[in-house]
Amino acid sequence: FSVLYELLSFICLSHQYNIFFFSFPSCFTSQSRRHLEQITSVGPRPVGSQENEVLTVGYLLEQIENIRVETAAGPHQLMVDVQRPTGSFSIDFLGGFTSFYDHVTNIAVRLEPKGGANHLMLANCHFDTVANSPGASDDAVSCAVMLEVLHSLANQSSPLHHGVIFLFNGAEENILQASHGFITQHPWAKQVRAFINLEAAGVGGKEVVFQTGPENPWLVQAYVHAAKHPFASVVGQEVFQSGVIPSDTDFRIYRDFGNIPGIDLAFIENGFIYHTKYDTADRILTDSIQRAGDNILAVLKYLLTSEKLADSSEYRHGNMVFFDLLGVVVVAYPARVGTILNYLVATATFLYLAKKHPSPCLSGGRYVWDLACATGVAVLSWFVTLLSVLIVALLVTLLGRSMFWYNHFYSSICLYGAAATGKMIFIHTLAKNLYYGGVRLIELGDLYFDVSLLLWCCSLVWLTQQGLCSAYVPMLMVSFPLATRLLLAKEFKHRGASVKYSVLYLLGLALPYVHFMFLIWVVFEIFTPIMGRSGTEIPPEVVLASLVTLTTIFLSSFFLHFIYLVRSTKWILAGLASIFIIMFLLVSSGLFFPYSGSPDSPRPKRVFLQHTTRTFHNLQGQVESHDSGLWINSFDYTGIQHITPNIPEINDSVRTHCREDRPFCGYPWFLPVKFLSKKNWYLPAPEVSPSSPLEFRLLSKEETSWGTIKMAFSAKGPSHMSLYLMPHRGASLSTWSFGDGTPQFDLSGEYFVFYSHGLDAPTWNFWDPDPSGPEGIISVAISSHYFFGDDQRTAQLEELLHRFPTWAFPSFWVSTYDMYRY
């Protein structure tokens, strides 16, 4: 009873505190939109550019100063600090690499009572962008909202109990550098007790809570109590932290390097135009800004008046199960309560099944044997269905129609969904007619309902034993159908699948099914766009066909027994077969083109285009080869299949091959993602001549007392450079000048160091050891990347860019690659 009381208290209190908080005023929404338009009006804002380091910083400081002057007479004090940190760290993202940053920009705004505050909340956004994208959703809109939340809190007539830091960070797209600089170096960071991070993996829509913690359930409770428009799921958190989604946020930095808990929120809708030129201010709806403002303001107010913030370590332990019901209310309860609840539901299910054990079942057989056989039929139908649909996906791939659904999502449901549903029904129809001949339909229906119950219950027990909070999903999918069946037992026994039984049964399953379908929508909303930027090696048809098939299996589970209750399924099978055949013919004919350049609903093909010059030196320091060209990376599975008809010279005759004896194949990879995109193309072109060319020098080479050779280097160049180290066979790196001094990650014998700097950064100096041994034991390469200004473009780039079709988004820049052997 105490467990149930605790559970109900968390559920019933989910919104009781909202009455104390005001919504984000509509005038503030218009102000946020004005901020958004001003920030994005300068265009892309890569780290090191004038747009990022001067124009955007200047605008933000101007707005913050206006707020400070306006609220100077109030009960709060506002302090601003512009931080330019330098540092390095290693991170196990994209296979693992080391990051070095120099003079990147943070704008930290501290708001607290005039008497000061010992405990601080942190709200984080970033204003920098990737190259060639205005970054309205990622992440200018969050910074615009944060400005108005700051304005609202500073204008409160009653003082806050705690302080809050609004961090506008200027180097997140460089793989989380500015947040690392703040949390590891800024003096205010020591007082931060928790944080809220605002991010984007899409453009607009609702912002979803997809990470919390680690542990610290009081933060989830704060969101549950305060959020005006809740949108949260522990399922998303566990999927994201599994590494399935190739993305990361500043949440990781604050968690791992600051050891503080937080809440990670992100926009997820319309990820098709994330990190493209289409991420513009006009695509973000006012409702999205309003919802984000309401939620962030309410949650921050709640936390800034919470006693738990002052001593968060006391409330650290334990996780929370949390999920929203259609954005209306959030259900949240401690994981320990969830474990007990899960086992109670599992026990009730096994008792329900055990009660049937003593009585005969089908044709006088024993119930356990019949249940086992029926479970075998169900599981077999899953594997046969999945295999059949994957064969269809393979055929689509071989026909050259991959990603036909990218711009026509429901066509994938019609093709793969019809195939999966039809196959499931066909297998169970065969079982009913050939294996269960002569058995009463009502008994078969009862048996296969129990099969679904058993399988979901097994998944419930397994997920609970794994310690996953997502086990609440099978808990709902077991408890509601079981309760519904017990309530309708007499109706089913006397009338079978009558209309009344069917209607009442559907009503009983409504809540878990609606919630489960909502989760499925979120999965497709995230993973469908990701297939457009997941590289050339992951077959998207296999991924999407598998997702559609698993969705069909899960959703059909508690409707499986209807196959055994109806007299015939031939018309259903005929209809599904017709849909499948028609869709397969349409897909095969090429009717569904994957991409779209429509301004209203763009679905662009992503291409990375670098005009690069490569120089390779031998052991004697002499140039052994030198070339220039346009290096083309396709970031989806279709490669250049659809590009070649528009630009004939980009074809497989100019496809590159990896030179294993050169660091990172001898090409200027901006990030260590060569494992994602192994198909690349290289068109010969004139040499590039940037106005600030890379200067790379070996400063010294000295033998150490422990028998290794220490080599010191200097590099001066653009704001973005990548260093590649490849020890030869028999050699290894033992120490270097990055991070804590220990080389952290080895990508198949290679090391990757990512470098960026803001304005007025000095020459980059670093050293590496060259282990003692024969000559020629390490290859060192460095690439420079020109993401902005006049150096970003060349005449050859411009000419090729104009030839790309409107449905393509070529992200372009100039680069160089220089390799040395020592």
Side-chain angles (χ1 to χ4, degrees), residues 55 442 510 570 655 662:
L55 299 179
I442 195 168
K570 63 180 182 181
R655 182 173 164 182
R662 294 174 175 176

Side-chain angles (χ1 to χ4, degrees), residues 238-507:
E238 292 181 341
V239 169
F240 187 84
Q241 293 180 351
S242 71
V244 173
I245 299 175
S247 185
D248 221 328
T249 73
D250 287 323
F251 181 97
R252 172 198 280 257
I253 298 298
Y254 298 132
R255 178 195 67 193
D256 295 352
F257 293 93
N259 196 30
I260 54 176
I263 301 174
D264 211 2
L265 299 102
F267 296 106
I268 63 168
E269 290 186 18
N270 199 10
F272 298 99
I273 57 179
Y274 166 77
H275 280 188
T276 72
K277 65 181 180 182
Y278 298 104
D279 185 9
T280 53
D282 59 294
R283 295 184 187 277
I284 300 177
L285 300 178
T286 300
D287 287 347
S288 296
I289 299 174
Q290 181 72 48
R291 276 193 299 264
D294 285 347
N295 284 341
I296 295 161
L297 179 60
V299 173
L300 273 178
K301 277 186 175 181
Y302 180 87
L303 288 169
L304 292 173
T305 57
S306 171
E307 295 180 359
K308 294 179 179 178
L309 185 68
D311 190 12
S312 59
S313 60
E314 185 179 338
Y315 309 96
R316 177 179 180 84
H317 298 292
N319 289 310
M320 293 288 285
V321 178
F322 59 92
F323 56 95
D324 72 282
L325 298 175
L326 298 180
V328 177
V329 64
V330 176
V331 177
Y333 50 88
R336 65 180 184 275
V337 175
T339 299
I340 296 171
L341 186 61
N342 293 346
Y343 282 127
L344 285 175
V345 171
T347 301
T349 302
F350 288 126
L351 287 174
Y352 164 80
L353 296 175
K355 187 179 177 182
K356 296 186 173 185
H357 172 61
S359 59
C361 189
L362 308 182
S363 304
R366 302 304 299 175
Y367 176 75
V368 173
W369 171 253
D370 292 326
L371 184 64
C373 291
T375 302
V377 171
V379 174
L380 178 64
S381 73
W382 295 353
F383 284 108
V384 173
T385 298
L386 182 58
L387 180 61
S388 301
V389 178
L390 289 179
I391 290 173
V392 175
L394 179 61
L395 288 173
V396 171
T397 302
L398 293 175
L399 288 169
R401 303 305 180 192
S402 282
M403 298 183 65
F404 68 91
W405 37 263
Y406 196 65
N407 190 35
H408 312 274
F409 175 73
Y410 290 103
S411 63
S412 68
I413 302 299
C414 293
L415 182 68
Y416 299 130
T421 306
K423 196 68 175 182
M424 289 271 291
I425 293 175
F426 179 70
I427 293 170
H428 285 283
T429 300
L430 286 179
K432 181 176 72 171
N433 295 334
L434 301 179
Y435 182 73
Y436 293 116
V439 180
R440 291 177 61 213
L441 298 183
I442 195 168
E443 291 176 352
L444 282 173
D446 189 45
L447 178 66
Y448 274 88
F449 175 85
D450 293 349
V451 167
S452 299
L453 205 61
L454 175 65
L455 292 170
W456 273 108
C457 191
C458 288
S459 68
L460 168 62
V461 172
W462 184 79
L463 289 174
T464 304
Q465 288 182 335
Q466 297 300 309
L468 296 174
C469 294
S470 300
Y472 85 86
V473 175
M475 184 273 293
L476 293 177
M477 295 296 288
V478 169
S479 55
F480 277 81
L482 177 59
T484 301
R485 189 55 180 271
L486 291 173
L487 292 172
L488 298 177
K490 291 183 179 180
E491 177 70 23
F492 178 79
K493 185 176 180 180
H494 292 101
R495 301 187 184 182
S498 64
V499 175
K500 180 181 178 182
Y501 167 80
S502 301
V503 171
L504 293 175
Y505 183 76
L506 290 173
L507 288 174

Side-chain angles (χ1 to χ4, degrees), residues 6 112 304 307 346 418 602 617:
E6 188 173 1
E112 61 185 352
L304 292 173
E307 295 180 359
H617 299 81

